[in-house]
Amino acid sequence: DTEVTQTPKHLVMGMTNKKSLKCEQHMGHRAMYWYKQKAKKPPELMFVYSYEKLSINESVPSRFSPECPNSSLLNLHLHALQPEDSALYLCASSQEGWGYGYTFGSGTRLTVV
Amino acid sequence: GENVEQHPSTLSVQEGDSAVIKCTYSDSASNYFPWYKQELGKRPQLIIDIRSNVGEKKDQRIAVTLNKTAKHFSLHITETQPEDSAVYFCAASNYGQNFVFGPGTRLSVLP
């Protein structure tokens, strides 16, 4: 299996809702990432997990809460989001060490209404 | 922190011609430089990468060159085809994990 699987593919949520994005990989990658991508912009790093521990948090608002239950799964819990949080949320994974590119999932397109 | 610039922002070429996209980076400690292709509505996909101990790498019609002294690297696509049309992102990192992406180049290959 050489893929990163993200669910759901599309999500519409109200500003008072709580929802979760899910990401799964079975490539044995020990680094997993959440990126946010706005239209016509590059991906922006949100969180990095290394060996199931949060290693980088790019000053993301607390309404985004990541979780890594095990080495294959990564979740992003969403609560009280704002319309400006509407974007494509990409999960990625990579091998640890120098010179390994990311494998991205197909993303969740989130719309906050 | 690292800053990556990318030029041009848009590029149109005739099918069969070559395309070149250039990126510059600011952090001399960066040592890994991947290139991603993102088609409309799809995920970014790694197309080629280069480590700082190598000056050039080629994979069929795609090549990447790195000039560490000048802190720039370039993507070269030869014999372009319509399916090469996409947004291309360069990135730079220091021993992995945190990639800083360039702003992207929208390549259009005209038949």
Side-chain angles (χ1 to χ4, degrees), chain B:
Chain B
E2 176 65 277
N3 180 54
V4 178
E5 297 183 356
Q6 185 172 345
H7 298 280
S9 56
T10 60
L11 178 60
S12 292
V13 299
Q14 289 295 135
E15 183 177 357
D17 287 350
S18 295
V20 180
I21 302 169
K22 295 182 179 179
C23 288
T24 60
Y25 60 99
S26 60
D27 187 351
S28 56
S30 289
N31 54 20
Y32 174 65
F33 308 94
W35 285 89
Y36 285 85
K37 174 184 180 182
Q38 188 173 27
E39 297 176 66
L40 189 63
K42 296 193 175 180
R43 75 188 79 187
Q45 291 198 297
L46 179 68
I47 56 171
I48 197 166
D49 56 10
I50 192 166
R51 299 182 182 185
S52 59
N53 59 351
V54 175
E56 183 174 357
K57 185 176 178 180
K58 190 173 182 180
D59 182 4
Q60 299 184 338
R61 296 186 297 110
I62 294 174
V64 57
T65 57
L66 172 65
N67 183 326
K68 285 190 295 183
T69 303
K71 290 190 282 188
H72 66 71
F73 56 111
S74 298
L75 178 70
H76 305 255
I77 306 174
T78 59
E79 301 172 16
T80 53
Q81 301 166 2
E83 51 266 36
D84 294 328
S85 297
V87 177
Y88 290 80
F89 293 103
C90 63
S93 78
N94 180 0
Y95 285 103
Q97 293 212 340
N98 186 3
F99 290 4
V100 177
F101 286 87
T105 296
R106 183 171 299 278
L107 174 65
S108 299
V109 179
L110 309 173

Side-chain angles (χ1 to χ4, degrees), chain A residues 8-48:
Chain A
K9 294 195 183 306
H10 301 274
L11 178 62
V12 178
M13 61 185 289
M15 289 188 284
T16 59
N17 291 160
K18 282 185 181 181
K19 295 286 184 183
S20 296
L21 310 184
K22 296 185 184 302
C23 174
E24 188 169 3
Q25 58 88 14
H26 296 286
M27 294 178 280
H29 290 174
R30 301 311 297 268
M32 296 185 76
Y33 314 82
W34 280 113
Y35 274 83
K36 173 183 177 180
Q37 187 176 28
K38 299 283 255 184
K40 299 185 179 182
K41 296 291 185 183
E44 293 178 36
L45 182 66
M46 300 175 72
F47 302 104
V48 179

Side-chain angles (χ1 to χ4, degrees), chain A residues 52-89:
Chain A
E52 296 111 71
K53 292 192 185 327
L54 183 65
S55 61
I56 296 177
N57 175 342
E58 290 287 342
S59 303
V60 178
S62 59
R63 56 186 185 268
F64 295 92
S65 175
E67 178 196 19
C68 189
N70 60 54
S71 60
S72 299
L73 294 174
L74 187 65
N75 299 322
L76 186 63
H77 303 297
L78 315 173
H79 174 54
L81 295 192
Q82 304 297 308
E84 58 265 28
D85 296 322
S86 298
L88 180 67
Y89 287 84

